[in-house]
Amino acid sequence: MLKNKQKIVVMGLGYIGLPTASMLATKGHEVVGVDINEEAVKTINSGKIHIVEPDLDILVRSAVNSGNLRASIVPEEADTFILAVPTPFKMGVDHCKMPDISFVEAATRSIAPFLQPGNLVILESTSPIGTTERLAEIIAECRPDLASSSRIHLAHCPERVLPGHIIRELVDNDRIIGGIDKISADKARDLYKTFCNGNIFLADSKTAEMAKLVENSFRDVNIAFANELSIICDRLGINVWELIELANRHPRVNILQPGPGVGGHCIAVDPWFIVAAAPEEARLIRTAREVNDDKPHWVLNRVKAKADRFKDPVIGCLGLAFKANIDDLRESPALDITKELINQGIGRVMACEPNVTHGFDKFPLYSLEQVLREADILLVLVDHDEFKEIDRELLKEKVLIDTRGVWR
Ligand code: SAJ
């Protein structure tokens, strides 16, 4: 029997909320997952999942079967509320993308009627600086009866899990918890300790918010360096993959890998939250975003230049997902490049995405065999294992544009 068993409401049953809710349920807490998507709620209540993530199906099934997890479209009273809703960006002035915290605000307003003195509210969503304090204001507006200090505890505990490895990283990763006061941070730490084997570090809420943004910006800036190198090397006739491998033999150098651009819903978004907060100072972070956002155009122009040499070019696009060995197409540069080739009528485009087998209707998909047979130009957009294993003999007569270095 769990020592500090709690009733927990998790707002948002997506890539973060659902694994977190299920994990807490399998550890013995009573969990109610809340989502506005009625279909998702039905699916989860039947022990199934509506998103793709390795091993999540097993975790959800066991959480639902244990009787500790149920999904609902409305919140209810609980000891702890965890907010795991999206924080996208919206277009601001001067091409600067501004954080949109309307989902977090709406989720806070919807739990406000159910709050009781002593409750803990945890913000997991990646958020701009000051959001946790903003939630305290919203709660005070909605519930003046709870406004006196320390009646509601509030902490930011940013998620850090890598899509494709969410279940393992949820348990193993270190966590940062930023409380609006010490007691809030302590209470959140006690809860996360029930499933997290990593170290838990306490900070104030602004530092925790910034830490999450900085982690993803660090990666974005480093990928931008690799992407810029790939363009420089192309001009200078140097194999960038070999170059990076050699440079990384230095004990203090660790260059990341170039690609067709940066996709997903985190790394291409979060740095903008820092730029929006400090536009004059965040020069490198902004430039890195621009370098990465520009990479798909550069790839497109390279394909056009090669296609010009053919009368009726057939272009095989290998991979549509935003990174290797997943089926997630959200904010994928590979998908954008392929769509743009089709829209601009650059030859006949044959796209192949081995991880997407049904439900895709934007354009036709082809088997790898068919693409390898018919394409004049092969454009590698994702480093899926299937593409690494292609027999090199089959590539001999083709024009190759390998944005991921799978055939380096
Ligand atoms: N990419 C490259 N070159 C590289 C590494 C990545 O081009 O060397 C590209 C990928 O192909 C992809 C994009 O970057 O298009 C992002 O992929 P990723 O694997 O770097 O990260 P995400 O978006 O799947 O998850 C990130 C993780 N953050 C960090 O590694 C600092 C994860 O830990 C976060 O929890 C997640 O963002 C999030 O939710 O914020």
Side-chain angles (χ1 to χ4, degrees), residues 104-310:
V104 173
E105 291 179 330
T108 308
R109 288 203 170 87
S110 75
I111 60 167
F114 303 97
L115 291 174
Q116 300 162 75
N119 279 172
L120 171 65
V121 177
I122 298 174
L123 172 65
E124 277 242 10
S125 317
T126 303
S127 298
I129 314 303
T131 307
T132 315
E133 288 169 352
R134 170 79 191 118
L135 300 196
E137 285 169 17
I138 294 176
I139 293 170
E141 279 162 26
C142 298
R143 292 288 303 274
D145 56 312
L146 294 172
S148 76
S149 73
S150 74
R151 299 204 76 195
I152 294 294
H153 307 293
L154 195 53
H156 180 44
C157 183
E159 60 84 9
R160 305 169 112 179
V161 289
L162 191 71
H165 301 269
I166 289 181
I167 310 301
R168 179 173 52 77
E169 292 208 353
L170 201 55
V171 174
D172 290 343
N173 286 2
D174 290 349
R175 302 286 301 232
I176 300 172
I177 295 183
I180 48 162
D181 51 27
K182 174 85 169 65
I183 179 166
S184 299
D186 285 342
K187 277 183 146 259
R189 179 190 48 204
D190 291 346
L191 177 65
Y192 280 84
K193 267 193 170 168
T194 54
F195 68 87
C196 174
N197 289 341
N199 296 309
I200 298 181
F201 298 92
L202 304 190
D204 61 34
S205 59
K206 275 184 167 177
T207 308
E209 286 158 353
M210 188 64 168
K212 167 68 199 206
L213 301 180
V214 162
E215 288 160 19
N216 280 352
S217 298
F218 171 86
R219 203 153 164 83
D220 197 44
V221 168
N222 282 279
I223 297 169
F225 182 72
N227 276 334
E228 187 165 291
L229 277 184
S230 71
I231 295 171
I232 295 170
C233 284
D234 186 71
R235 167 162 294 203
L236 302 181
I238 294 168
N239 179 325
V240 69
W241 316 102
E242 186 192 352
L243 174 83
I244 290 175
E245 214 170 296
L246 292 173
N248 281 351
R249 304 302 296 183
H250 185 288
R252 283 174 297 283
V253 174
N254 185 13
I255 303 169
L256 293 180
Q257 299 298 301
V262 169
H265 21 280
C266 309
I267 294 194
V269 176
D270 302 352
W272 286 115
F273 293 8
I274 301 180
V275 177
E280 308 252 300
E281 294 81 3
R283 292 184 298 161
L284 181 61
I285 295 171
R286 182 181 181 131
T287 302
R289 260 307 51 252
E290 286 165 354
V291 167
N292 285 334
D293 271 354
D294 206 40
K295 188 72 192 283
H297 304 125
W298 183 84
V299 173
L300 201 66
N301 287 335
R302 283 205 62 205
V303 180
K304 278 190 206 163
K306 299 276 186 199
D308 273 350
R309 299 185 201 161
F310 292 83

Side-chain angles (χ1 to χ4, degrees), residues 298-357:
W298 183 84
V299 173
L300 201 66
N301 287 335
R302 283 205 62 205
V303 180
K304 278 190 206 163
K306 299 276 186 199
D308 273 350
R309 299 185 201 161
F310 292 83
K311 193 160 157 275
D312 299 304
V314 179
I315 303 163
C317 292
L318 300 184
L320 297 176
F322 88 83
K323 64 178 185 177
N325 303 322
I326 59 167
D327 69 340
D328 194 338
L329 303 179
R330 288 176 302 170
E331 326 296 337
S332 169
L335 181 63
D336 291 345
I337 291 168
T338 307
K339 274 202 266 183
E340 213 34 49
L341 286 169
I342 295 171
N343 290 346
Q344 294 187 21
I346 316 290
R348 179 174 160 237
V349 175
M350 298 177 76
C352 166
E353 176 43 79
N355 295 321
V356 174
T357 47

